[in-house]
Amino acid sequence: MFALLGDLRGAITVAVMVSLSVALRWWQQARSERAVRGLKDSVTTTATVRRRATADARPMDREVPFDDVVPGDVVKLMPGDLVPADVRLLSATNLLVDQSALSGETLPVHKDAPDDTSSVCFAGTSVVGGTGTGLVIATGPRTRFGAMARTPRSTARESSFDRGVRAVGWTLLRFMFVLAPFVLVVNGIVTANWAQALLFAVAVAVGLTPEMLPVIVTSNLARGAVLLAHRQVIVKRLGAIQDLGAMDVLCVDKTGTLTEDRIAYVQGFDTAGQADEEVVDYAGLACHFQDVADNRLDEAIAARSGAVPDALYRKVDEVPFDHVRRRSTIVVQRSRDEHLLITKGAPDEVLARCTAEPNGNLTDERRHALTELATGFEKRSVRLLAIATGHVPARLEHYTARDERDLTLRGFLGFVDPIAPGAAAAVATLREHGVAVKMLTGDNPYAAAQVCEQVGLDPGEVVLGDRVEATTDAELPALVTGASVFARLTPPQKARVVAALREASHTVGFIGDGVNDTAALRTADVGISVTTATDAAKDAADVILAQRDLSVLAAGVTEGRRTLGNTLKYVHATASSNFGNVLSLLVASVFLPFLPMLPIQLVVQNLLYDTAQLALPWDRVDESYLRAPRRWDAAGLARFMLVFGPVSSLFDVATFGVLAWVLGTTTPAFQAGWFLESLASQVLVVLVLRTRATNLRAHRPSGPVLAAASIVLLTGLLIPLSPLAGALHMGALPTAYFGWLPLILLSYVLTVQAVKIVYVRRSRGWM
């Protein structure tokens, strides 16, 4: 625009300023990406690959990073694994794969090696159940996932951070669309120079928006990511830092989050509830022949049970555990003509498939008594695993879940999961910081409620998965908002609860570590996992905790709020100051026969001011600000601008009066005088508005912020006295002006502080 109107110096100056701004943003973005890349590299995702160490050695299973998987490798797939490449199956046992990331299918897909239509597992999908081995046929960009990644996708989740930035951006654009044309019309009518009025209106439009907002946001997020890394919190998506600060609901699982995730074996019980270790032998036999432990219960059983002589038994088949059936079955052969089925799982699921107990048939009365027995243990936080057996004639075909019928109930195994030592304190800390903790578990309601009571959560009415399933999407937000504990949830039901909370205008975090948590992790505003989680969970998460400890997450919430607070300081102070400048220009356009500040001067002033604000990521944040969830607030920004913008304009007009009528300066000197006053007032007002505290001495800015403000103020003071003054069309200022300037600035700072005190008392929020 400057070049079109013949202002070559202005065009060169603007080009330099824009280049500096772009360079700063590029540098900050590159710096943050390097930091995040380094943090993400500390979370290694591996695959189990069968390779030979040497040409004549036997193949061995090795854990290798995904990047080291190459075509021709043989990969083992187990529950919880993320498929590292496109793999053609060589063998599969009841293999179920979640392909929702590729196809959008809600339910897992059954994969079978002999079937050409379902014998390929694709990179980026996750194993939900069963086991398999496969040959790698494509990696990286040659996979189906890689091909899809090269095409635009419009289904990305919009987080709280994304929504907030978009809303604030539209608020600033609305101000610009209203005021820039108004400045054009008023200035054009007064000066009759429409070309200059157009140029000035464009400069006003640019100056009205916080030009360095992307740089400030990136700087804050990059610094926040580094600080969180020091607190054992790894950030995969930078925007998730501010989502942590905005989070007001945290959904957690019971096991491993509120408890130690350490299964301690208690006792085996027969169907009469008496101690009986024979049932442990059946469970140990099943665990011995499993391809992989279903969960930590199986690990505890294997550690407790004795050795199984392989000469006595031969494994025939396996029906692996899945989160819908909540049970698993091992089929072994001891005699030639008969197979033994050993089923273990949730008591209600196993009991429903039993028709007998060791002493006779299972009547309805006995079934009810056994249910009451299991419930009694669960109310005491003893987790039960039911064990049942079945004898069937030997056969050749594969066994499926349909064969889990007509079983004999052998008894139960009891386990406990101790409460995590710091869980109660972490829950209390989160509550003090305005974060409501809700439990979403697949466990029974009694155990869930008792754990809640032990960590200081009021369980209230426990909502079961069946009720969630039966509730409509329109009714679910009200249900999930009023409840604190959800039990016996399936993975899709967990995702529905999280989605309903977001629909109820909550910013939701979800902690998960299993493959069954991936849907909820992707649905939440911020998905949180741990380094020991399954590959699928870590891939779906935005934030990964190096320690399985809620107190670590509480520190992350605080850091997220600090990051957002320092960002909003810039947004609010800059937007209100720029709005005040526009109002001042409108007043000047009516009463002055010349422009109070040239467009090039306005651009230079904005650049100097924005440079000072690059230190804000290192500023302190009020402790009171960290006590409640914080979001980007477009409506609050508009109110802030309408209150503090006119205050700024009032003292600009006072400066106009001193320069024009008291000192009688020339036009170039007038423009230099307002340039200096406007720059100084903008820099100083940030120091006042950066805190809601009335005692500024007790809430001093950090050293970097004070240093940056001092350097910019000194630079602005020297520009009218330097050779740059001529290039910027500035005239020499009278000595008397430097007596008026401190008086105007001091009055402005005191007035803003007084208005701030009233605003804080009447406003529910600040920044």
Side-chain angles (χ1 to χ4, degrees):
M1 183 65 74
F2 286 96
L4 291 175
L5 297 175
D7 187 352
L8 183 59
R9 285 183 298 180
I12 294 173
T13 304
V14 171
V16 171
M17 302 307 173
V18 170
S19 299
L20 286 174
S21 177
V22 171
L24 280 171
R25 182 179 180 185
W26 175 84
W27 177 73
Q28 287 284 6
Q29 184 69 30
R31 179 171 175 267
S32 67
E33 287 179 355
R34 285 196 302 271
V36 173
R37 195 180 305 119
L39 296 173
K40 290 173 69 174
D41 288 344
S42 65
V43 182
T44 304
T45 303
T46 61
T48 304
V49 176
R50 187 167 295 164
R51 288 177 177 172
R52 288 185 172 92
T54 60
D56 56 349
R58 292 181 59 189
M60 298 180 62
D61 292 343
R62 304 174 183 274
E63 292 291 323
V64 302
F66 271 22
D67 292 342
D68 292 348
V69 175
V70 296
D73 276 336
V74 175
V75 177
K76 292 186 68 175
L77 301 176
M78 304 178 190
D81 283 352
L82 196 67
V83 181
D86 284 357
V87 174
R88 184 171 298 281
L89 292 174
L90 303 175
S91 64
T93 303
N94 296 293
L95 187 63
L96 291 174
V97 177
D98 179 1
Q99 296 188 160
S100 59
L102 289 178
S103 62
E105 297 170 282
T106 303
L107 297 177
V109 177
H110 184 267
K111 297 287 184 176
D112 197 2
D115 188 348
D116 290 338
T117 62
S118 63
S119 61
V120 176
C121 296
F122 300 103
T125 60
S126 54
V127 179
V128 176
T131 60
T133 59
L135 182 70
V136 175
I137 57 177
T139 59
R142 297 181 181 87
T143 63
R144 178 176 292 189
F145 190 90
M148 293 180 65
R150 294 194 295 269
T151 61
R153 299 183 67 179
S154 59
T155 58
R157 172 193 61 195
E158 184 181 49
S159 69
S160 171
F161 171 75
D162 300 325
R163 293 193 302 271
V165 171
R166 176 169 51 81
V168 167
W170 275 111
T171 297
L172 295 174
L173 283 174
R174 291 188 187 98
F175 274 92
M176 185 180 68
F177 289 149
V178 171
L179 293 175
F182 195 61
V183 169
L184 170 65
V185 172
V186 172
N187 194 263
I189 293 174
V190 172
T191 65
N193 186 342
W194 288 96
Q196 181 175 272
L198 176 61
L199 184 62
F200 194 70
V202 172
V204 166
V206 173
L208 187 61
T209 58
E211 303 91 339
M212 300 290 282
L213 179 59
V215 179
I216 298 293
V217 170
T218 304
S219 300
N220 272 292
L221 294 177
R223 175 165 171 76
V226 173
L227 291 176
L228 285 175
H230 293 159
R231 298 189 177 198
Q232 304 296 304
V233 180
I234 302 168
V235 179
K236 293 174 56 183
R237 177 176 61 85
L238 275 180
I241 297 174
Q242 295 191 6
D243 286 329
L244 278 176
M247 182 176 68
D248 60 348
V249 173
L250 175 64
C251 298
V252 303
D253 193 7
K254 176 179 69 67
T255 305
T257 305
L258 300 178
T259 64
E260 291 184 5
D261 196 18
R262 179 176 62 84
I263 300 300
Y265 173 78
V266 177
Q267 184 70 60
F269 306 96
D270 61 18
T271 57
Q274 302 300 314
D276 180 11
E277 293 302 313
E278 183 183 2
V279 69
V280 184
D281 296 335
Y282 283 111
L285 180 61
C287 291
H288 177 76
F289 286 107
Q290 282 180 172
D291 288 337
V292 61
D294 290 333
N295 49 46
R296 300 201 176 198
L297 295 176
D298 291 342
E299 295 174 2
I301 294 170
R304 179 72 179 185
S305 60
V308 177
D310 290 334
L312 295 180
Y313 297 95
R314 180 181 65 85
K315 180 179 177 180
V316 176
D317 204 352
E318 177 177 356
V319 186
F321 176 88
D322 66 61
H323 294 280
V324 177
R325 290 167 45 247
R326 295 192 294 147
R327 62 185 185 275
S328 64
T329 295
I330 291 291
V331 184
V332 296
Q333 183 177 29
R334 185 172 185 179
S335 65
R336 177 181 302 177
D337 300 327
E338 189 177 59
H339 288 167
L340 171 65
L341 281 73
I342 306 175
T343 299
K344 53 186 175 63
D348 56 333
E349 292 289 344
V350 174
L351 191 57
R353 281 145 188 85
C354 292
T355 57
E357 55 182 322
N359 296 328
N361 292 333
L362 197 60
T363 64
D364 290 342
E365 183 179 354
R366 281 293 300 152
R367 194 184 302 275
H368 178 74
L370 289 168
T371 301
E372 291 293 323
L373 176 67
T375 301
F377 279 107
E378 291 172 349
K379 287 181 177 180
R380 298 195 297 271
S381 288
V382 177
R383 181 170 182 174
L384 290 186
L385 191 70
I387 309 297
T389 62
H391 295 270
V392 297
R395 68 189 197 200
L396 296 178
E397 63 265 22
H398 287 300
Y399 285 81
T400 68
R402 291 189 296 272
D403 296 301
E404 298 169 330
R405 65 178 189 275
D406 299 330
L407 302 177
T408 299
L409 182 68
R410 294 295 173 179
F412 306 94
L413 299 181
F415 306 85
V416 293
D417 185 4
I419 300 296
V427 168
T429 300
L430 288 167
R431 185 188 301 114
E432 291 170 1
H433 286 74
V435 180
V437 177
K438 295 179 182 288
M439 179 191 289
L440 276 61
T441 180
D443 209 343
N444 70 78
Y446 308 107
Q450 188 162 80
V451 168
C452 282
E453 291 173 353
Q454 292 178 11
V455 299
L457 284 175
D458 181 9
E461 180 186 1
V462 179
V463 177
L464 299 182
D466 292 343
R467 184 176 175 187
V468 171
E469 190 70 29
T471 306
T472 65
D473 290 341
E475 298 170 339
L476 193 57
L479 174 64
V480 299
T481 299
S484 297
V485 182
F486 301 83
R488 291 215 167 103
L489 293 179
T490 64
Q493 289 167 354
K494 287 185 180 181
R496 277 198 75 201
V497 171
V498 172
L501 286 167
R502 294 187 69 202
E503 188 68 24
S505 299
H506 292 288
T507 300
V508 185
F510 179 85
I511 299 181
D513 60 358
V515 65
N516 58 316
D517 295 322
T518 54
L521 285 167
R522 293 192 178 102
T523 304
D525 287 286
V526 52
I528 306 162
S529 192
V530 292
T531 52
T532 55
T534 61
D535 294 340
K538 288 187 289 189
D539 180 70
D542 303 306
V543 173
I544 297 178
L545 307 181
Q547 299 178 6
R548 189 189 287 269
D549 188 349
L550 273 184
S551 62
V552 174
L553 182 61
V557 169
T558 301
E559 193 56 51
R561 292 174 186 174
R562 180 177 289 109
T563 300
L564 181 59
N566 282 333
T567 303
L568 293 185
K569 289 176 188 178
Y570 170 79
V571 174
H572 283 73
T574 304
S576 60
S577 294
N578 289 351
F579 178 57
N581 285 344
V582 173
L583 296 179
S584 302
L585 291 170
L586 287 172
V587 174
S589 297
V590 174
F591 294 102
L592 297 176
F594 57 86
L595 292 178
M597 192 184 301
L598 296 178
I600 186 62
Q601 296 168 351
L602 186 61
V603 172
V604 172
Q605 180 203 80
N606 284 338
L607 180 70
L608 287 172
Y609 166 77
D610 288 332
T611 301
Q613 307 319 308
L614 291 175
L616 279 177
W618 286 265
D619 195 18
R620 303 182 182 94
V621 177
D622 296 344
E623 285 299 319
S624 60
Y625 185 87
L626 305 177
R627 293 291 178 180
R630 303 295 175 181
R631 304 183 187 183
W632 292 76
D633 182 7
L637 174 61
R639 290 193 304 270
F640 197 93
M641 293 171 65
L642 293 172
V643 170
F644 290 96
V647 175
S648 170
S649 181
L650 178 64
F651 286 88
D652 286 340
V653 172
T655 304
F656 295 164
V658 170
L659 289 168
W661 296 301
V662 176
L663 301 177
T665 58
T666 62
T667 299
F670 183 101
Q671 293 167 340
W674 190 42
F675 171 89
L676 185 54
E677 183 274 339
S678 181
L679 175 63
S681 64
Q682 287 191 79
V683 172
L684 291 174
V685 81
V686 175
L687 303 182
V688 178
L689 296 181
R690 54 169 291 280
T691 174
R692 64 179 296 161
T694 56
N695 186 351
L696 296 181
R697 181 177 299 179
H699 294 78
R700 293 190 303 272
S702 65
V705 171
L706 284 175
S710 301
I711 292 171
V712 168
L713 286 174
L714 181 61
T715 302
L717 183 64
L718 293 177
I719 283 179
L721 306 176
S722 70
L724 285 175
L728 297 177
H729 308 286
M730 292 184 182
L733 286 163
T735 304
Y737 174 74
F738 294 98
W740 282 97
L741 182 61
L743 180 62
I744 293 172
L745 293 176
L746 179 60
S747 301
Y748 174 56
V749 169
L750 293 176
T751 303
V752 168
Q753 177 68 3
V755 173
K756 183 185 78 172
I757 293 172
V758 176
Y759 185 87
V760 169
R761 289 174 180 171
R762 296 184 178 182
S763 176
R764 290 177 299 175
W766 177 256
M767 296 295 192

